[in-house]
């Protein structure tokens, strides 16, 4: 559907969404539009009403989708319909009055000092892989970097003299780690 592709292209151009987010949003929006066409006979986004969105989300709840999945699907629909409204493609945003529960935030699991000591000592030996693994574990531990941040960091983002690393996190946010 043309509107979906234009929406996704705008998100991509703005640099505010990862490739995985774009893929998920495409699937989420197309699934909703297919569902709406099948259940409500709506020919396109302009015919969607708030009750269609609510019924769709309730069908996902009934199908026991995880809260995080529901939150992402809802976010995709909200962003899509907000975009259509801003572009003048629809008169009213059908998601504007839809209330949902957000995803529960889980507290991170923290290793004990003993567990961390064992982890850092796990790669034994002086071969390349052992040295690399120890360096990676030490980097993760000392900077608090996410695995994805550590995996994507380049040598140019590390300042050994100042002891800083420039990490690129979620949403393309940059942060300095010591």
């Amino acid at each position: 559907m043309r509107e979906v592709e234009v929406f996704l292209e705008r998100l991509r151009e703005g640099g505010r969404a990862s490739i995985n987010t774009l893929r998920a949003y495409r699937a989420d929006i197309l699934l909703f539009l297919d569902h709406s066409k099948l259940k409500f006979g709506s020919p396109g986004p302009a015919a969607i009403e708030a009750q269609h969105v609510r019924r769709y989300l309730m069908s996902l709840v009934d199908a026991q989708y995880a809260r995080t999945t529901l939150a992402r699907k809802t976010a995709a629909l909200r962003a899509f319909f907000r975009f259509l409204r801003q572009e003048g493609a629809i008169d009213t945003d059908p998601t504007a009055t839809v209330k949902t529960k957000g995803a529960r935030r889980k507290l991170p699991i923290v290793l004990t000092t003993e567990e961390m000591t064992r982890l850092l000592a796990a790669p034994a030996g002086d071969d390349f892989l052992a040295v690399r693994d120890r360096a990676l574990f030490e980097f993760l531990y000392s900077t608090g970097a996410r695995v994805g941040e550590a995996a994507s960091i380049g040598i140019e983002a590390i300042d050994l003299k100042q002891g800083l690393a420039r990490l690129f996190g979620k949403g393309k946010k940059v942060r300095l780690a010591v």
Side-chain angles (χ1 to χ4, degrees):
M1 172 169 260
R2 175 91 177 112
E3 294 100 336
V4 176
E5 296 311 316
V6 171
F7 165 67
L8 294 170
E9 182 60 25
R10 291 276 175 82
L11 280 181
R12 190 188 64 74
E13 287 172 357
R16 298 195 44 93
S18 71
I19 296 297
N20 290 337
T21 299
L22 294 173
R23 284 186 191 135
Y25 274 25
R26 172 182 281 118
D28 293 340
I29 295 165
L30 293 176
L31 183 66
F32 169 73
L33 294 174
D34 287 346
H35 178 271
S36 295
K37 190 177 216 175
L38 182 68
K39 294 285 185 179
F40 312 117
S42 61
I48 300 295
E49 298 174 14
Q51 66 178 337
H52 298 145
V53 177
R54 283 189 198 97
R55 287 182 185 165
Y56 172 70
L57 294 174
M58 283 310 300
S59 74
L60 298 179
V61 169
D62 292 344
Q64 298 182 342
Y65 277 78
R67 274 183 125 170
T68 52
T69 303
L70 290 169
R72 189 203 64 231
K73 289 180 179 295
T74 303
L77 294 177
R78 286 187 199 284
F80 177 61
F81 283 108
R82 191 176 321 118
F83 165 77
L84 292 178
R85 176 75 178 100
Q86 290 169 347
E87 294 293 308
I90 59 174
D91 293 329
T92 57
D93 178 353
T95 65
T97 60
V98 174
K99 304 275 190 243
T100 57
K101 290 182 180 178
R104 287 190 182 132
R105 288 181 119 13
K106 293 181 183 175
L107 292 175
I109 298 171
V110 180
L111 299 178
T112 66
T113 303
E114 181 183 313
E115 290 169 329
M116 196 65 228
T117 302
R118 282 199 324 260
L119 179 65
L120 292 173
D126 292 329
D127 64 343
F128 175 78
L129 293 178
V131 172
R132 180 207 61 189
D133 291 350
R134 276 196 305 277
L136 178 60
F137 290 160
E138 187 65 42
F139 179 79
L140 291 169
Y141 178 64
S142 63
T143 63
R146 294 179 182 93
V147 172
E149 291 172 329
S152 65
I153 196 168
I155 193 71
E156 71 284 350
I158 299 174
D159 184 339
L160 293 175
K161 287 182 183 173
Q162 292 187 6
L164 295 174
R166 192 172 45 254
L167 302 173
F168 299 91
K170 293 182 176 186
K172 309 244 179 186
K173 292 179 184 166
V174 179
R175 63 188 177 92
L176 293 177
V178 182

